[in-house]
Amino acid sequence: WFFGDVESRPMGTDFEHTSFAYVEKNVMFVTVDAFQIVGDGKSDFLDRENGEGGEGAVTGTVDGGGFHLQWFENVLRKGRDSGFVKHIIVQAHLPIIRPVQSIHCSGQFLDKGEDSNFWRLMNEYGVDLYLAGEVHGNTATKSTYKDSHLVQIVSRGNVFNNFMTIDASDDILKVEIFNEIGQKSLYNSNYVKAGYLTIDKTSSVAKVSSSGLLHLLDLDASILAYDFEDIFPLGSRQVPGLTEWNNKENLMFTEIEIRGKVCKESLWNHGGFGAQYDAQVCNVGQVDGRNGGKAGYFTEDSRMAVAGTGPLSAGQAFSFGIWFRTWKHDRRMIMVHHANYWGDYVSWDYGKDYFTLILDKGVPVIHTQPKTKLQSTKSINLADGEWHHIAVSMPRNSCLASELDIYVDGKKIGTEITNDRPIFQTTSGRMSVGGYGYSNSGFENAYPGYVPYTGSIDEFVLFTRPLKNISSLLCQEENDHKFPVGNYFRNRKCKWLTKPKKNKQKARRIAKYCNRDNVECAVTCDSCDNPFAASRAIQAECKDQIAFFFLNDV
């Protein structure tokens, strides 16, 4: 297939047999080999300062391919100007926009991501879909480029327990995704539709609609969000892909072992990554929370871990917050942990980082390697039996460990670093709360004397972006109609612990969004009995604010 002087393959390059373009009726398909060997191929490539590489001598990029990228642009231009190509679909192996849901994979990504020339050209020439794989999960994300309707869809397909179809007409692309159901872990040969995504170009401005597993991910909203109002039996909803590595016979598994403990319960994830990132838990009790709801009570025998890979990845910025109460001021306790799940050795000075928040005898401490340690410059005792909140934020991508911001009860604290360097998180890690979770067995040796957390935890929330406003309860004066996302409206009775004498104006503003007498929230949600729907509704109104705040810090 040729378009005048543009060939269907980038002839004369290393990619002439692996990159190609093809037109079927009114759709152009462009398949791109986005893997490149760095240098002579004998040395591993990992660029901490720019958050690139990390997978040996092969990295993910099209930008450095010389004529390869020029060929790609020529093909897109010819397709756009042809008059008969109505839709353009580009596919390569690696995700460009992050985060994406993943499980049991390397988590490799395309270098420079949304800042790459490869992505820029797709937006400039009106590409409709970018299809990727690698991560064994499903995520649909719309481009943030102005006036672009380009959508990245990263999907499964391994062992054929999840697949997509695409239907094209003159002006509409419709993607449908199907998920396997049945009693066996694999090969049930029975599927149900689990979501759709439609790009409608019947008008001058394309419209994108989606649902289910292809629901567009909100990059400003929380990715992980857990409370302890309800603890469910494992198997109460499907975690796609988990059975592949768990070697269970049933598709809906009912138990899993985490660091020597058999877990038969789960906490549902109310963040954007949904069921794929439900937490598997055991020996977590329910006690009174700080606002009348429920908190989880942890001991050294408790486990709370997420089977999904990530969502921390290389140098991508992240932030999280956790409410907790403990009186164990004589212990070094693991609060939040993200690390690779394979092997039995923890590197001390080389390779990718992991992330661990530790409460060291009441003092918050962060490790990204055993030799890299960030801690408070002042003596703090958060193990005093009172409720406290810790928030951690990367202020930018690939920041130094010393640049991490730590907030205690809404106030930024001073920190000091040992052995500073740019952060490059493992791309094949798993998240856990209160212990080491699914991570490799070497951490106990790397940190002798560090123990699982004992105490209460009320909520844990994580974003894949920096915090933007940790302490403000309200948007700017000119945006009074907006409201920063509440602490999930998790208190089903809307019991606001406001202090009117401290700030009457703010207290009144909060009250108008939540009628305390009628127990109804004045937002576009069902009621306070659906706190996460309330949270999402408010996020839609005020995306540029931090998605949690301190109900007792008005």
Side-chain angles (χ1 to χ4, degrees):
W1 168 81
F2 298 86
F3 261 156
D5 57 347
V6 178
E7 294 183 294
S8 62
R9 296 183 288 143
M11 304 303 294
T13 74
D14 292 339
F15 310 96
E16 64 181 11
H17 299 297
T18 50
S19 291
F20 58 92
Y22 176 78
V23 172
E24 175 65 25
K25 297 182 180 178
N26 63 350
V27 183
M28 174 191 281
F29 300 90
V30 188
T31 299
V32 180
D33 181 352
F35 292 106
Q36 288 190 24
I37 297 174
V38 180
D40 60 7
K42 296 180 180 179
S43 301
D44 290 346
F45 171 66
L46 193 157
D47 182 349
R48 287 183 169 274
E49 286 75 15
N50 295 297
E52 298 177 3
E55 292 300 321
V58 176
T59 194
T61 183
V62 183
D63 287 15
F67 180 69
H68 191 202
L69 184 68
Q70 184 61 58
W71 166 84
F72 180 65
E73 181 175 10
N74 293 343
V75 167
L76 295 184
R77 182 187 297 112
K78 288 291 186 179
R80 183 194 63 180
D81 297 341
S82 68
F84 62 85
V85 170
K86 300 296 184 181
H87 312 288
I88 302 177
I89 299 174
V90 176
Q91 57 184 359
H93 189 66
L94 300 177
I96 295 176
I97 304 176
R98 288 179 291 163
V100 293
Q101 298 183 55
S102 59
I103 188 166
H104 201 54
C105 70
S106 72
Q108 191 175 9
F109 54 89
L110 197 86
D111 290 347
K112 295 184 174 61
E114 295 170 88
D115 294 325
S116 67
N117 289 319
F118 185 50
W119 186 248
R120 174 183 60 80
L121 290 173
M122 282 189 262
N123 284 274
E124 289 181 359
Y125 286 97
V127 172
D128 299 289
L129 289 174
Y130 172 69
L131 306 179
E134 165 64 26
V135 296
H136 311 160
N138 301 295
T139 312
T141 316
K142 189 175 181 296
S143 171
T144 57
Y145 270 67
K146 184 179 179 181
D147 300 326
S148 174
H149 63 267
L150 172 59
V151 175
Q152 170 184 280
I153 297 180
V154 181
S155 64
R156 292 176 55 81
N158 51 322
V159 298
F160 208 61
N161 60 4
N162 187 251
F163 67 91
M164 297 190 308
T165 63
I166 301 178
D167 292 316
S169 62
D170 273 354
D171 300 306
I172 296 175
L173 275 176
K174 185 171 184 179
V175 184
E176 292 184 318
I177 191 166
F178 296 84
N179 200 39
E180 183 178 16
I181 60 173
Q183 296 299 315
K184 299 183 296 183
S185 61
L186 298 172
Y187 311 123
N188 290 278
S189 300
N190 190 18
Y191 301 90
V192 294
K193 186 163 69 174
Y196 75 90
L197 184 140
T198 300
I199 300 176
D200 186 341
K201 298 184 285 186
T202 54
S203 62
S204 58
V205 178
K207 297 179 180 179
V208 180
S209 58
S210 62
S211 72
L213 291 182
L214 295 179
H215 180 76
L216 289 175
L217 181 67
D218 185 345
L219 296 174
D220 284 328
S222 61
I223 299 299
L224 306 181
Y226 307 98
D227 70 7
F228 295 85
E229 296 298 326
D230 297 292
I231 299 177
F232 298 93
L234 277 180
S236 53
R237 69 173 180 175
Q238 183 181 358
V239 179
L242 188 57
T243 53
E244 290 176 28
W245 63 271
N246 195 42
N247 295 320
K248 293 291 184 180
E249 294 182 357
N250 299 322
L251 185 67
M252 302 289 283
F253 67 101
T254 58
E255 64 180 48
I256 192 168
E257 184 175 320
I258 303 175
R259 258 179 164 73
K261 302 296 180 182
V262 176
C263 296
K264 299 182 179 182
E265 295 177 314
S266 69
L267 292 174
W268 286 8
N269 173 33
H270 300 278
F273 271 9
Q276 183 84 63
Y277 286 73
D278 285 355
Q280 293 80 53
V281 302
C282 63
N283 303 323
V284 175
Q286 286 179 297
V287 296
D288 290 339
R290 62 185 205 292
N291 289 324
K294 295 295 183 182
Y297 185 76
F298 286 68
T299 69
E300 290 193 20
D301 290 329
S302 301
R303 301 290 185 268
M304 177 179 170
V306 182
T309 305
L312 308 192
S313 174
Q316 184 183 27
F318 68 89
S319 55
F320 68 83
I322 185 170
W323 280 101
F324 67 97
R325 179 172 64 182
T326 184
W327 60 93
K328 298 293 185 180
H329 56 79
D330 59 343
R331 300 184 183 185
R332 295 174 172 172
M333 299 186 293
I334 305 150
M335 300 285 291
V336 178
H337 183 66
H338 177 270
N340 59 287
Y341 55 88
W342 43 264
D344 57 6
Y345 173 74
V346 176
S347 171
W348 281 72
D349 54 11
Y350 177 75
K352 301 176 185 179
D353 296 324
Y354 53 86
F355 183 92
T356 310
L357 171 65
I358 295 167
L359 201 62
D360 189 348
K361 299 180 179 179
V363 180
V365 174
I366 291 173
H367 281 282
T368 58
Q369 289 281 345
K371 290 185 177 180
T372 302
K373 179 180 180 181
L374 183 71
Q375 61 185 4
S376 172
T377 56
K378 295 182 179 180
S379 177
I380 305 175
N381 180 21
L382 302 183
D384 58 1
E386 300 294 331
W387 282 107
H388 292 287
H389 188 277
I390 293 177
V392 176
S393 175
M394 284 180 67
R396 61 179 179 87
N397 290 340
S398 301
C399 73
L400 294 167
S402 61
E403 295 180 85
L404 283 169
D405 294 323
I406 302 178
Y407 298 85
V408 172
D409 296 335
K411 297 179 181 179
K412 186 177 177 179
I413 65 172
T415 55
E416 57 187 8
I417 191 73
T418 303
N419 294 319
D420 201 10
R421 65 178 183 177
I423 293 173
F424 193 105
Q425 288 284 329
T426 177
T427 52
S428 57
R430 286 181 175 147
M431 183 67 64
S432 57
V433 175
Y436 288 132
Y438 292 115
S439 62
N440 83 52
S441 59
F443 280 95
E444 282 83 356
N445 294 328
Y447 291 100
Y450 283 41
V451 299
Y453 173 77
T454 295
S456 301
I457 295 177
D458 204 329
E459 293 165 351
F460 175 74
V461 193
L462 184 140
F463 305 82
T464 49
R465 60 166 174 79
L467 298 187
K468 298 181 180 180
N469 192 337
I470 189 65
S471 59
S472 175
L473 285 177
L474 298 167
C475 299
Q476 299 299 320
E477 293 293 332
E478 60 268 23
N479 295 320
D480 281 350
H481 65 287
K482 294 182 178 181
F483 187 75
V485 177
N487 197 5
Y488 298 112
F489 281 86
R490 65 172 301 283
N491 183 351
R492 298 167 189 247
K493 295 183 179 179
C494 294
K495 181 181 178 182
W496 297 86
L497 298 184
T498 58
K499 302 175 182 178
K501 291 183 179 180
K502 182 177 179 181
N503 194 326
K504 292 182 179 180
Q505 185 180 22
K506 286 185 178 180
R508 284 196 298 270
R509 281 175 168 172
I510 294 170
K512 78 177 183 179
Y513 281 91
C514 187
N515 186 322
R516 285 176 282 183
D517 294 328
N518 296 327
V519 198
E520 292 179 354
C521 295
V523 292
T524 54
C525 66
D526 297 331
S527 71
C528 287
D529 288 331
N530 193 346
F532 292 98
S535 174
R536 286 191 291 270
I538 298 172
Q539 287 182 40
E541 294 294 321
C542 193
K543 292 180 179 179
D544 60 345
Q545 298 291 315
I546 177 60
F548 58 84
F549 65 86
F550 308 102
L551 296 179
N552 60 351
D553 190 28
V554 183

